[in-house]
Amino acid sequence: MISSTPLTTRLRHQLQSRTLREAVSQGRLTVESLARLDVLARLYTDAWAPDVAPWLAAAIHCPQQGHVGVRINTEHWRALGSVQPQRLAELSCVTALSQANQDAAVQTPFVLFDDPQSYPEPLLMTQRLWRTQKALVNALTTLMSTSLEPIDHLETKLDALYGSDSSEAKRAAALVANNRFAVINGGPGTGKTWGIKRILALLLSEAHRNNQHLEICLTAPTGKAAVRLKEAIGEQLILLRDCGVDERVIDQLTSLVPSTLHRALGSNPAQPQRFRRGADLPLGADVVVVDEASMVDINVMRHLCEAVAMGPGRLILLGDPDQLTSVGAGSVLSDLVAAHQSGQSSLEQQIATLKTSHRFAQAASINCVATLLQTHQSDAIALAFDLFRAIASKDPRWRSQCLADPLEADGQPRRFVWQKTTTSALSSTQLDELATGYLARSQSQYPRRAPGPIWQILEAIDADEDLSDPHVQQRCLQSLHNYRVLCAHRNGPRGVQGINEALSARARALLGSRATMTPSGHWLGQPIMITRNADDLGLRNGDVGLILPNAQGSLCALFARNDEIEHISLAALPAHQSAFAMSIHKSQGSQFGHVAIVLPAKVGSAVCTRELIYTALTRAQHDVSWYGSEAVLKDALSKRASRNSALVSLLRLPTAT
């Protein structure tokens, strides 16, 4: 328990309860959440009853675990004991609601929402998060109920932009063109950003035809994701000329500068969950695009939807609901897709799913595993488990797909390499193996892996090349994207910190005296990752660079900026860390040739879920190696990162009476 939390006499007495102590030890409660309940209990004296206090405190604490509320008497919350929903509904601090009376006024600090048609167990949440969900649904309803002027000859125009082989993408584009609110969801490489620039080209062309100005706001949850969106929009724009797109439209697309969602909404750094933009101060843009929407929590999404709904524009969300969810409470994108798939929501004409991946054209088994994990069916998970362990699939459908891969045409899986390990730390041999992706040219086991940055530096030195030469530096920076170690945990010998220390020691040993550490703790060849935005330097949380000498021979940090290299003084760098390894969470939106996944040593990690494995897997373009045990992988694939919320219920159409 956290000793810095002030404890009243009553709270000290309550903490003698075995149920509360166990719930705190298991992370379902904190002393802080109990202290907040203690304050509320001064007005609502029945809140400290032994059978209900754990549940009320959990409703206060659960947003820190990503949940909007707690599902009563479910397995996840077993440590809180057992309580009858009617008992909670009778408390003076709780308002009981159902879908039928969901618009009733709420004055109490807690809401108990019951919707047995969607969930057998009611949801207990704070009043603030209840109001947040209601406000989000109201904003979505406003967006969906507003009709748009139809685009003349839409099908013909989409044929010109998409060609004859993109029916899936054209259906998504037509959905966007006809609605103020639209979601395009799909796995990596399915063409979400490829399609959005064509949709924007269509909308800009229509604006030009009608002598109108169209303001476009491109956003993403993080600075790194915003930069990637800019790059994706800018890729191969020249091809739009062949589709008959006006040069002015291409120029406008080229000039678009994405921002973070927090910046677009006007967040206050001192209060990051409060925004200037919202229902009272709408966004003025005509089109708002949000990439990586799975990372947007419910509070930010509420303000975003209100800011667009009360303004003139339309909102387009892009994302993959199977990836990791937001750091904050809620899983809005997953909930929207789930509500749509239920067939009972008002989202029938708002959501398009792209299923055909183009990223893994040369790595069929990686694509097979990603597709299997998206199905969420037990037999599919079992097949994915086999492929992860390099066991050839016996299922005819998946076997034929894997055999289409030239590398696996003989039926022997080669895209996945399993490095078995059950000890708390990786062995020295396994750490050497992890390091070779950065230190060596290639290995017989991974002939497709391109040379790493340390190997590039040593080759340049042996060839008597100048490490400050832009061509050499470009080569070294590009090699950073060939390979990456991804860890499930941040701390511990198998976490980001421990792996970075081990691989840094091996890289410095290979470089010898050339890698002497500077007073600031940097050394030649060190890959670094920025961990805090620095707008004045154009650096974003998640940007990866390399320590190399400048023209004067002094070490500095190099970052790739499109086709240019930016040099940043070591003294000017914002918070950063070594980047031989990064967390799977941080890797979202990135892609590398070869990914090495380091799993925890023991079964039971709360963060190790199917979504985590799926996210790590789909960062790889052609090879995956993973370090862990069968038991840990099987446990992770069996768990979904489901989050409790009322959003699916609130989006469900009312049942006719």
Side-chain angles (χ1 to χ4, degrees):
M1 296 181 186
I2 301 174
S3 58
S4 62
T5 302
L7 303 180
T8 64
T9 302
R10 178 170 57 182
L11 183 53
R12 289 180 186 278
H13 174 73
Q14 294 290 346
L15 284 171
Q16 300 306 308
S17 160
R18 179 180 177 182
T19 298
L20 290 182
R21 290 201 312 272
E22 289 184 355
V24 170
S25 69
Q26 293 181 25
R28 297 294 179 257
L29 302 179
T30 62
V31 176
E32 286 88 350
S33 63
L34 289 166
R36 289 174 60 189
L37 181 63
D38 191 42
V39 172
L40 286 172
R42 297 170 191 172
L43 294 174
Y44 305 94
T45 55
D46 53 358
W48 262 129
D51 59 332
V52 299
W55 292 95
L56 297 174
I60 293 171
H61 174 62
C62 70
Q64 296 181 37
Q65 299 177 311
H67 298 286
V68 171
V70 293
R71 291 262 170 224
I72 304 304
N73 297 334
T74 51
E75 180 67 22
H76 182 78
W77 305 102
R78 184 174 57 181
L80 304 178
S82 178
V83 66
Q84 290 299 316
Q86 186 60 33
R87 172 81 171 98
L88 290 167
E90 292 170 351
L91 295 174
S92 61
C93 59
V94 174
T95 298
L97 297 175
S98 65
Q99 196 187 49
N101 70 339
Q102 61 178 270
D103 294 323
V106 174
Q107 303 298 330
T108 58
F110 298 98
V111 170
L112 184 69
F113 181 69
D114 191 18
D115 177 24
Q117 186 170 337
S118 296
Y119 300 99
E121 310 87 4
L123 185 72
L124 179 69
M125 70 204 95
T126 62
Q127 180 199 111
R128 180 182 66 84
L129 282 169
W130 169 255
R131 292 185 184 277
T132 296
Q133 292 172 99
K134 286 291 294 178
L136 171 57
V137 171
N138 289 340
L140 289 172
T141 301
T142 299
L143 285 167
M144 292 186 288
S145 62
T146 309
S147 59
L148 295 173
E149 194 72 29
I151 296 175
D152 293 335
H153 309 294
L154 177 60
E155 188 173 343
T156 301
K157 291 171 181 176
L158 291 177
D159 284 340
L161 282 166
Y162 287 85
S164 58
D165 298 326
S166 304
S167 57
E168 191 178 69
K170 278 189 285 191
R171 284 194 297 270
L175 182 144
V176 171
N178 292 322
N179 293 281
R180 275 193 77 196
F181 174 69
V183 177
I184 301 177
N185 78 97
T190 51
K192 297 184 293 293
T193 49
W194 177 87
I196 196 63
K197 60 187 164 190
R198 283 162 172 77
I199 292 169
L200 295 178
L202 171 68
L203 298 177
L204 283 167
S205 298
E206 288 300 298
H208 281 298
R209 188 172 65 85
N210 296 316
N211 295 315
Q212 297 172 341
H213 172 73
L214 191 77
E215 183 180 343
I216 297 173
C217 174
L218 298 181
T219 68
T222 67
K224 182 180 178 183
V227 170
R228 288 194 302 267
L229 178 57
K230 167 71 173 175
E231 293 170 349
I233 293 291
E235 284 177 359
Q236 299 182 326
L237 275 178
I238 199 74
L239 297 180
L240 291 180
R241 288 177 183 165
D242 299 334
C243 303
V245 175
D246 190 282
E247 198 68 37
R248 292 174 300 170
V249 170
I250 294 175
D251 290 343
Q252 283 180 275
L253 290 173
T254 303
S255 65
L256 292 175
V257 180
S259 72
T260 63
L261 260 176
H262 279 70
R263 171 169 289 186
L265 293 173
S267 71
N268 181 347
Q271 297 177 301
Q273 292 304 306
R274 293 182 178 269
F275 303 93
R276 289 191 305 108
R277 298 285 183 178
D280 297 328
L281 185 61
L283 284 166
D286 300 293
V287 181
V288 179
V289 178
V290 183
D291 196 18
E292 300 290 355
S294 65
M295 300 167 67
V296 183
D297 67 41
I298 197 160
N299 181 59
V300 176
M301 190 67 82
R302 172 257 179 110
H303 285 278
L304 169 68
C305 290
E306 287 184 325
V308 178
M310 302 310 293
R314 66 176 84 207
L315 176 61
I316 308 167
L317 304 181
L318 311 174
D320 182 352
D322 292 302
Q323 282 197 34
L324 291 167
T325 51
S326 59
V327 174
S331 52
V332 181
L333 183 66
S334 294
D335 287 346
L336 292 173
V337 173
H340 168 70
Q341 291 174 342
S342 73
Q344 298 179 326
S345 76
S346 53
L347 296 166
E348 186 65 31
Q349 300 301 318
Q350 325 303 135
I351 296 183
T353 301
L354 304 179
K355 297 180 179 179
T356 305
S357 177
H358 307 282
R359 178 179 294 183
F360 307 112
Q362 298 302 315
S365 56
I366 294 178
N367 186 42
C368 285
V369 174
T371 304
L372 287 163
L373 294 183
Q374 287 175 308
T375 65
H376 310 307
Q377 297 171 357
S378 57
D379 56 342
I381 303 305
L383 287 170
F385 184 54
D386 284 345
L387 287 171
F388 247 108
R389 295 175 297 154
I391 298 174
S393 175
K394 296 178 182 178
D395 184 286
R397 176 189 169 192
W398 302 105
R399 182 170 177 78
S400 64
Q401 288 193 37
C402 291
L403 291 175
D405 185 334
L407 188 68
E408 301 183 346
D410 59 357
Q412 182 61 40
R414 293 186 179 87
R415 295 290 180 187
F416 290 87
V417 174
W418 176 23
Q419 302 289 351
K420 301 179 184 180
T421 173
T422 56
T423 54
S424 59
L426 300 185
S427 69
S428 179
T429 300
Q430 288 170 333
L431 289 169
D432 290 343
E433 167 74 21
L434 272 182
T436 55
Y438 299 107
L439 311 186
R441 179 178 177 84
S442 66
Q443 293 174 269
S444 58
Q445 200 168 22
Y446 309 107
R448 299 159 298 285
R449 189 162 67 192
I454 303 301
W455 183 90
Q456 295 278 12
I457 290 170
L458 289 171
E459 279 290 291
I461 292 172
D462 290 344
D464 205 25
E465 292 182 288
D466 186 352
L467 290 178
S468 65
D469 183 297
H471 294 95
V472 175
Q473 294 183 340
Q474 190 72 261
R475 210 161 60 225
C476 293
L477 280 170
Q478 288 174 348
S479 69
L480 273 174
H481 300 291
N482 297 335
Y483 172 76
R484 192 61 48 88
V485 179
L486 304 180
C487 302
H489 290 172
R490 288 186 175 87
N491 300 316
R494 286 174 178 249
V496 173
Q497 183 180 6
I499 298 296
N500 267 328
E501 289 174 357
L503 301 194
S504 293
R506 283 161 172 76
R508 292 188 64 207
L510 186 62
L511 288 164
S513 60
R514 308 178 188 92
T516 300
M517 193 172 290
T518 67
S520 61
H522 299 93
W523 44 275
L524 175 72
Q526 180 186 14
I528 62 169
M529 182 174 66
I530 302 301
T531 57
R532 185 178 300 166
N533 290 343
D535 293 337
D536 56 328
L537 298 173
L539 293 177
R540 304 293 181 191
N541 186 351
D543 283 352
V544 174
L546 193 64
I547 305 298
L548 287 172
N550 58 21
Q552 290 73 44
S554 300
L555 290 183
C556 65
L558 274 61
F559 295 89
R561 292 286 181 267
N562 297 321
D563 295 328
E564 298 181 354
I565 298 174
E566 184 152 359
H567 296 71
I568 306 292
S569 162
L570 297 181
L573 282 173
H576 59 281
Q577 64 186 41
S578 289
F580 286 109
M582 65 194 301
S583 70
I584 296 171
H585 279 80
K586 282 280 188 184
S587 74
Q588 285 193 94
S590 301
Q591 55 180 313
F592 311 97
H594 178 175
V595 160
I597 305 169
V598 181
L599 298 180
K602 296 180 179 179
V603 169
S605 167
V607 302
C608 223
T609 61
R610 191 184 310 167
E611 287 80 2
L612 188 90
I613 301 298
Y614 171 85
T615 301
L617 163 76
T618 53
R619 301 311 96 205
Q621 293 172 306
H622 55 69
D623 282 288
V624 175
S625 53
W626 64 280
Y627 295 70
S629 67
E630 279 188 340
V632 170
L633 177 64
K634 193 170 188 177
D635 178 64
L637 294 180
S638 70
K639 294 187 302 188
R640 293 202 61 193
S642 101
R643 291 185 166 183
N644 299 333
S645 88
L647 199 54
V648 173
S649 297
L650 295 176
L651 287 166
R652 186 162 53 80
L653 292 168
T655 304
T657 57

